Amino acid sequence: GEAIHDASLAAWGRLCLATEVRGAQTYWRMDPSSDVYDPAFAVNRVAGGVAGGAAVATTWFGSNPEYVHGINCLPVLTGLTDLLIDGEDACAEAPILTQALARKHKPVEPAWRGFAVASLAAASPDEAWAEAVELDEAKFDDGASKANLLHWVAASKAMGPAPACGDVEASNATELPWNASD
C-alpha cells in the first residue's frame, strides 16, 4: 500500500503480517510454558508440521532437529525472519542446533547446515558467522546462498547485542515427544 500511497491497503498489509507472525509464534514456534501445547511437546521449541488438530515435531522428509528447526526459519530474510525469531527464542533453540551441528554420527547435511546457522544467528551471531564462512557455497540448498546467509548473520549482529543466553539445557528433538496429541 505504501508504494502506491494507499494508507488503507498499507494498514491491511501490516495487519496481515502481524496476524501471520503471531500465528507462527503461537502454533509453530513455542515456549515450553505454552498454553496451546502440552509442556512435554512444547520443549521441542518448534513444530515441524501443523494441520487440523495435529502438531508434530517432524517434517515429511525427516525428524532431525536441523530439518524441524531449519524449515521454521525459511525463507531467511531480513525483515521477516527477525520478526519470527527473537533473542529469547533463539537462546532456547541454540543448544539444540549447536548439538545438531556438532553431531559426528549422521552429521548435518551440507544443504541444511546453512539453515541451522541462520537460526543460531539471533542468539550467537559471532558463532553463526564463524560457521557460515566455512560453508561451501556449492552445497547450499536451492534458493539459498552463502551471500544471503552472511547478510542475515551480519544483519542479526547489527540489530543489536545478542541476548545473554546463559546455560540452557540442550535437548535433542528426536528424543522428545513428536506428536502433540500423544
Side-chain angles (χ1 to χ4, degrees):
E2 290 179 6
I4 59 172
H5 307 290
D6 184 334
S8 178
L9 184 59
W12 176 251
R14 284 191 295 277
L15 174 64
C16 289
L17 177 61
T19 301
E20 185 67 24
V21 168
R22 185 170 183 187
Q25 289 174 333
T26 302
Y27 299 106
W28 290 88
R29 306 186 72 77
M30 68 206 86
D31 185 275
S33 63
S34 167
D35 59 354
V36 174
Y37 297 115
D38 184 271
F41 178 75
V43 295
N44 288 305
R45 303 301 301 188
V46 296
V50 177
V56 294
T58 188
T59 67
W60 64 269
F61 48 85
S63 60
N64 290 357
E66 63 272 17
Y67 301 152
V68 178
H69 290 264
I71 198 99
N72 273 280
C73 77
L74 293 174
V76 179
L77 298 171
T78 304
L80 177 60
T81 307
D82 49 301
L83 295 176
L84 295 173
I85 304 174
D86 63 20
E88 183 180 323
D89 192 30
C91 283
E93 270 190 296
I96 296 167
L97 294 168
T98 301
Q99 183 178 348
L101 288 167
R103 197 173 58 225
K104 300 292 183 214
H105 176 70
K106 296 185 180 178
V108 175
E109 298 161 50
W112 283 93
R113 287 191 82 79
F115 299 125
V117 170
S119 290
L120 279 176
S124 183
D126 292 331
E127 180 183 349
W129 184 269
E131 282 277 346
V133 297
E134 296 299 321
L135 296 176
D136 182 352
E137 170 71 34
K139 295 185 178 173
F140 273 72
D141 191 51
D142 291 345
S145 70
K146 187 172 184 174
N148 183 64
L149 177 60
L150 291 170
H151 175 265
W152 163 245
V153 174
S156 293
K157 185 168 184 162
M159 285 185 250
C165 293
D167 290 332
V168 180
E169 188 176 322
S171 61
N172 182 343
T174 61
E175 295 174 2
L176 296 169
W178 66 270
N179 189 331
S181 62
D182 282 350

